[in-house]
Amino acid sequence: MGRYIIIRGLMIIPMILILYTIVFFFLRILPGNPILAVVGTKNIPPEQLKHLEHLAGLDKPLYVQYFDYLWKMLHGNLGVTLASPMGKPVSSYIALRLPATVELTIFAFTVSVLLGIATGVLGAVKRGTSVDTGMRVYSIVAYTLFIPWFGMMLQYLFGVKLHWLPTSGRINPTITSFHSITGLYVIDAIIERNWAALGSVLKHLVLPSITLGTVLSGAYTRLVRNNMVDVLSQDFIRAYRARGVPERKVLWYALKNAFIPVVTLMGLQFAILLGGAVLTETTFNWPGMGTFIMDRINYRDYNSIEGAVIVFALFVGLISLTVDVIYALLDPRVEY
């Protein structure tokens, strides 16, 4: 088991290297100068422009820039920002923004799993009925929803029309007694026992979590429904029912047996949620990694974009490793 974990962990390294290489050269072929993007004018004196490019290391050959940043990355240094204020460590921005994305991802992931499992089990139990058809239609519609459009519809209904929920931000700005410790506002509010802040944070999480979670729940619906249908037709389920086992327990046993392939999907979906958070965060003005990346793209901030992609890739690799280990533990037939 230990050897398996080490080998899978080492496979994360080439994945990060490939992603870094693609992002590095893709950013360099895009039109625009990051220094001019920050300054906001093309009328900068050539001498000053060259000086700023030298400070940012942009006057070096591409291969030198590539290996310089790679060397820094291997030592845990993600470089400094090229945008204003120039020279601030990228890691400080990521440390500030990443908890917001992680918090949103966890809540959206919970929504997608619970909603997908509930609709999938319902479709399997009511197989061949109009309910089953409705669940299958739901899985297709949910998976094809465009996140910004769906988010704006929820904002208009629950925020503008009904005034039930906030449409942007993480917490009501009037709550001045709240102080973030970990960057995860729910945990911080609980630690401080600030129940007003906790209520506000949870309200702000509802709409973006439902938006992102609903879109990705369709995949769970289809997978759980198909696996449940297959398991419910097997002999051991018939034996349970013949012995008078309550239907609730029968469905629980069936769900546990159908759940093994779902674990793999959960890992993949969590990684997708991190990427999908970019669209959700821009829709709800959520101050996470998504809005950070979009802002830095506008400034052509190479270091910030590369650093964010590397952090995302590291998260995805660790999540994939965790899922593989859990899958191997759940299914004894899997060999390390």
Side-chain angles (χ1 to χ4, degrees), residues 1-12 321:
M1 182 66 170
R3 184 182 174 210
Y4 173 78
I5 294 175
I6 292 173
I7 293 175
R8 282 289 289 107
L10 291 175
M11 291 175 63
I12 298 175
L321 172 61

Side-chain angles (χ1 to χ4, degrees), residues 252-272:
W252 173 246
Y253 293 140
L255 179 60
K256 287 199 297 184
N257 283 272
F259 202 69
I260 292 178
V262 180
V263 173
T264 301
L265 179 63
M266 289 171 65
L268 295 174
Q269 291 289 68
F270 194 88
I272 294 174

Side-chain angles (χ1 to χ4, degrees), residues 119-121 123-124 127 132 136 139 219-233 258:
T119 52
V121 170
R127 181 187 180 188
D132 182 24
R136 283 187 285 176
S139 69
Y220 290 108
T221 301
R222 177 172 295 185
L223 182 61
V224 171
R225 186 257 177 202
N226 293 340
N227 288 340
M228 282 285 290
V229 167
D230 181 60
V231 173
L232 288 172
S233 63

Side-chain angles (χ1 to χ4, degrees), residues 81-218:
T81 61
L82 303 181
S84 180
M86 183 182 294
K88 188 173 181 179
V90 173
S91 56
S92 64
Y93 283 102
I94 293 178
L96 183 66
R97 297 295 195 100
L98 184 60
T101 297
V102 171
E103 188 170 63
L104 173 59
T105 300
I106 291 173
F107 276 82
F109 177 75
T110 304
V111 170
S112 66
V113 172
L114 294 179
L115 192 57
I117 290 177
T119 52
V121 170
L122 184 59
V125 172
K126 302 293 184 179
R127 181 187 180 188
T129 66
S130 58
V131 175
D132 182 24
T133 302
M135 294 302 100
R136 283 187 285 176
V137 171
Y138 165 80
S139 69
I140 297 172
V141 173
Y143 203 72
T144 55
L145 283 174
F146 184 50
I147 289 177
W149 175 85
F150 185 49
M152 287 188 288
M153 293 300 100
L154 293 181
Q155 286 175 323
Y156 178 75
L157 176 61
F158 295 102
V160 178
K161 281 293 184 181
L162 299 176
H163 302 286
W164 287 357
L165 297 167
T167 58
S168 64
R170 296 185 68 188
I171 190 172
N172 192 327
T174 61
I175 302 178
T176 57
S177 59
F178 175 75
H179 302 285
S180 178
I181 302 171
T182 65
L184 302 171
Y185 282 11
V186 172
I187 295 178
D188 292 338
I190 293 174
I191 292 174
E192 294 181 357
R193 296 187 178 182
N194 191 333
W195 310 125
L198 179 61
S200 178
V201 170
L202 292 176
K203 280 185 177 181
H204 281 78
L205 274 165
V206 171
L207 290 184
S209 298
I210 290 177
T211 299
L212 189 53
T214 300
V215 171
L216 294 181
S217 66

Side-chain angles (χ1 to χ4, degrees), residues 20 24 61-73:
Y20 163 65
F24 177 90
L62 276 182
Y63 73 91
V64 175
Q65 295 181 44
Y66 176 87
F67 286 107
D68 277 351
Y69 191 85
L70 182 61
W71 180 253
K72 292 178 182 178
M73 179 183 69

